[in-house]
Amino acid sequence: MTKRYIENMAILGKMETVYGESSAPTGLANAMQLNNVAYEPLLGEDLDRELVLPYMGHQGIILDGNYVQMTAELEIAGSGTPGTPPAGSPLLRSCGLQEIILAATHVKYKPISRLFESATFFFNDDGVNHVMLGTRGTLTMSLTPRNIPRFSLTLTALFGEVSDIALPTVDLTDFITPVPVNDANTTVTLHGRTDACEGLTIDLGNSIEPRMLINSESIEQTGRRTTGNAIFEAVKISEKDWIQTMRSHAVGALHAQHGTVAGNIVEIDAPAAQIGRIKYGATNKIRNNTLPLMLKPVAGNDELVITFR
């Protein structure tokens, strides 16, 4: 009997040309460097027959509408070269983000509202290979002091083949080392304020739905509501009245930059962040404000831009 070890794992990902048709990612060209990976090998509907019988007992179920889901974290870091997409690009593009490349300068990722891309992912769990087809998803991102910044991904896909395939040889050299979130590497500005910040999270908020029909099965993005939270040290009302900002429904810019060296600088921009209902808290007995954020589009598909430069 062959044992399988959870530390022996490889994940490959490549954009699809035709939706739901395998793009055949390889370990040397398409390996993904992730952590905190969890895989749901078969989700869907459990159909109960509910037969009328002259005795009690479980009648079993029929499995239908089958799909798979993977959650994972991707470190937030550049490619090392301005204008070159980061190695995790297929993960971002699968989350309804359009990739815009300006050679030798930057790569931007902006949300879209139609013509969503998809990817094929291989999840090889110590020799058992799971194929994820037509993958689409959503993500959150987190900048927390004294931590590695990460994208947290939830990827949903059509059920593909499961088979015994040896772990591939992978090349992860395109993934560069991230820098930690701290005062030297990271800045956050919200509505013009640069007060001491205890953390920023952004939730892209894609609605992802398995759509299982006659003659058609797909994973669809059906909506998007981007939100977040920023935690700032509290100041006097005369310095910044966040409650009045909240009550007036005012919007203002959010800007975050992580990294200082070209090729490993990541910027997050939201031009119209509205503040939700403020919450008081404290860290080390110092008062802080948790500011819920609603990132609103201005001209459409511009509520959030992630720039690697």
Side-chain angles (χ1 to χ4, degrees), residues 3-308:
K3 292 181 175 62
R4 290 160 53 198
Y5 298 94
I6 62 172
E7 292 191 2
N8 299 335
M9 186 184 299
I11 298 168
L12 318 178
K14 184 179 179 182
M15 303 310 297
E16 296 174 345
T17 302
V18 178
Y19 180 80
E21 293 187 8
S22 177
S23 57
T26 67
L28 294 180
N30 309 113
M32 296 289 107
Q33 182 172 278
L34 301 171
N35 58 7
N36 292 328
V37 177
Y39 191 78
E40 291 280 1
L42 195 65
L43 299 172
E45 303 295 327
D46 296 347
L47 306 181
D48 192 334
R49 299 179 67 191
E50 297 184 352
L51 300 173
V52 175
L53 298 171
Y55 46 83
M56 298 179 182
H58 203 302
Q59 299 173 8
I61 57 174
I62 295 174
L63 304 181
D64 194 26
N66 298 319
Y67 63 97
V68 300
Q69 194 168 83
M70 180 172 69
T71 58
E73 292 181 350
L74 168 69
E75 294 173 336
I76 298 178
S79 65
T81 305
T84 298
S89 168
L91 296 158
L92 303 180
R93 292 168 65 184
S94 296
C95 290
L97 296 173
Q98 179 187 20
E99 183 177 78
I100 304 169
I101 300 173
L102 182 59
T105 303
H106 62 239
V107 181
K108 291 182 180 290
Y109 292 88
K110 298 178 64 177
I112 53 178
S113 294
R114 59 172 56 249
L115 302 176
F116 303 105
E117 295 185 280
S118 64
T120 297
F121 288 94
F122 289 177
F123 170 75
N124 192 306
D125 187 25
D126 200 7
V128 175
N129 194 63
H130 302 253
V131 177
M132 302 172 64
L133 299 173
T135 307
R136 290 176 173 141
T138 190
L139 60 79
T140 64
M141 60 194 83
S142 177
L143 299 176
T144 304
R146 296 180 293 175
N147 279 275
I148 295 171
R150 290 188 171 99
F151 295 107
S152 297
L153 304 133
T154 300
L155 303 173
T156 305
L158 299 174
F159 177 81
E161 179 183 1
V162 181
S163 59
D164 291 332
I165 297 178
L167 281 162
T169 299
V170 299
D171 182 353
L172 297 170
T173 55
D174 286 342
F175 288 86
I176 70 173
T177 302
V179 295
V181 178
N182 56 35
D183 181 55
N185 296 324
T186 317
T187 60
V188 176
T189 304
L190 178 63
H191 285 229
R193 300 293 302 183
T194 56
D195 303 308
C197 181
E198 296 186 28
L200 172 68
T201 59
I202 302 292
D203 183 350
L204 186 57
N206 291 341
S207 298
I208 303 298
E209 301 290 344
R211 188 164 169 80
M212 306 302 185
L213 305 177
I214 298 169
N215 300 329
S216 176
E217 291 188 347
S218 60
I219 306 299
E220 299 291 340
Q221 179 176 333
T222 59
R224 179 183 69 251
R225 290 185 176 230
T226 305
T227 59
N229 276 288
I231 304 175
F232 283 98
E233 279 190 3
V235 296
K236 296 289 188 180
I237 293 296
S238 59
E239 297 176 72
K240 177 59 182 177
D241 189 345
W242 285 114
I243 293 177
Q244 177 56 33
T245 301
M246 175 185 70
R247 294 183 66 203
S248 68
H249 309 129
V251 298
L254 166 68
H255 174 76
Q257 177 176 315
H258 181 69
T260 60
V261 177
N264 197 15
I265 296 173
V266 183
E267 295 178 325
I268 300 167
D269 285 286
Q274 181 179 345
I275 309 302
R277 298 184 185 275
I278 189 172
K279 294 182 180 179
Y280 283 177
T283 303
N284 304 126
K285 298 185 178 180
I286 296 174
R287 175 66 67 206
N288 60 30
N289 295 324
T290 295
L291 305 173
L293 307 175
M294 292 157 281
L295 307 188
K296 301 171 63 176
V298 177
N301 300 315
D302 58 357
E303 66 265 39
L304 179 69
V305 179
I306 306 169
T307 303
F308 293 79

